[in-house]
Amino acid sequence: DPRQAFYGADTAVASDYRNLGIASKLIIERSEWPYKWVLSRTKNPAMVQAYRKIFGEELFSMDEPPDRRAYLFSTQRLKNYEEWRNSQ
């Protein structure tokens, strides 16, 4: 059901502000996460790392032409958002 999925476009953080948790906060705060799944299409390894930090390993990934991959994550890990947020 497409209404249960969130399509995540690339998120970027300026190099001077990386490794401060900003990408994680942007990913989390862009929605209230009523979704069961997150689909991200990217060629940016830092983006994949940020999604893995938040959602854990992807359930599925596949190559997409010309030079990127699609990643599917479950939002199950975010069931208790406050617990996740306090652990960061």
Side-chain angles (χ1 to χ4, degrees), residues 35-72:
Y35 309 102
K36 291 183 178 183
W37 317 104
V38 173
L39 175 64
S40 180
R41 292 183 169 111
T42 186
K43 60 181 180 179
N44 179 350
M47 182 72 177
V48 176
Q49 182 180 4
Y51 273 107
R52 286 178 178 155
K53 178 181 175 185
I54 295 165
F55 301 113
E57 286 296 312
E58 62 271 14
L59 301 173
F60 173 81
S61 70
M62 64 182 235
D63 287 330
E64 286 200 333
D67 61 352
R68 61 183 181 175
R69 288 187 68 79
Y71 299 86
L72 181 66

Side-chain angles (χ1 to χ4, degrees), residues 2-86:
R3 293 170 295 182
Q4 295 179 347
F6 175 80
Y7 175 77
D10 280 338
T11 298
V13 176
S15 58
D16 290 348
Y17 297 97
R18 291 187 184 149
N19 299 312
L20 299 173
I22 295 170
S24 296
K25 290 177 183 179
L26 289 170
I27 292 166
I28 292 297
E29 298 296 336
R30 70 167 64 143
S31 147
E32 294 178 11
W33 294 106
Y35 309 102
K36 291 183 178 183
W37 317 104
V38 173
L39 175 64
S40 180
R41 292 183 169 111
T42 186
K43 60 181 180 179
N44 179 350
M47 182 72 177
V48 176
Q49 182 180 4
Y51 273 107
R52 286 178 178 155
K53 178 181 175 185
I54 295 165
F55 301 113
E57 286 296 312
E58 62 271 14
L59 301 173
F60 173 81
S61 70
M62 64 182 235
D63 287 330
E64 286 200 333
D67 61 352
R68 61 183 181 175
R69 288 187 68 79
Y71 299 86
L72 181 66
F73 296 92
S74 169
T75 59
Q76 188 69 24
R77 185 169 170 182
L78 288 182
K79 265 186 138 176
N80 189 338
Y81 171 72
E82 288 302 320
E83 182 180 312
W84 180 89
R85 199 166 143 178
N86 292 332

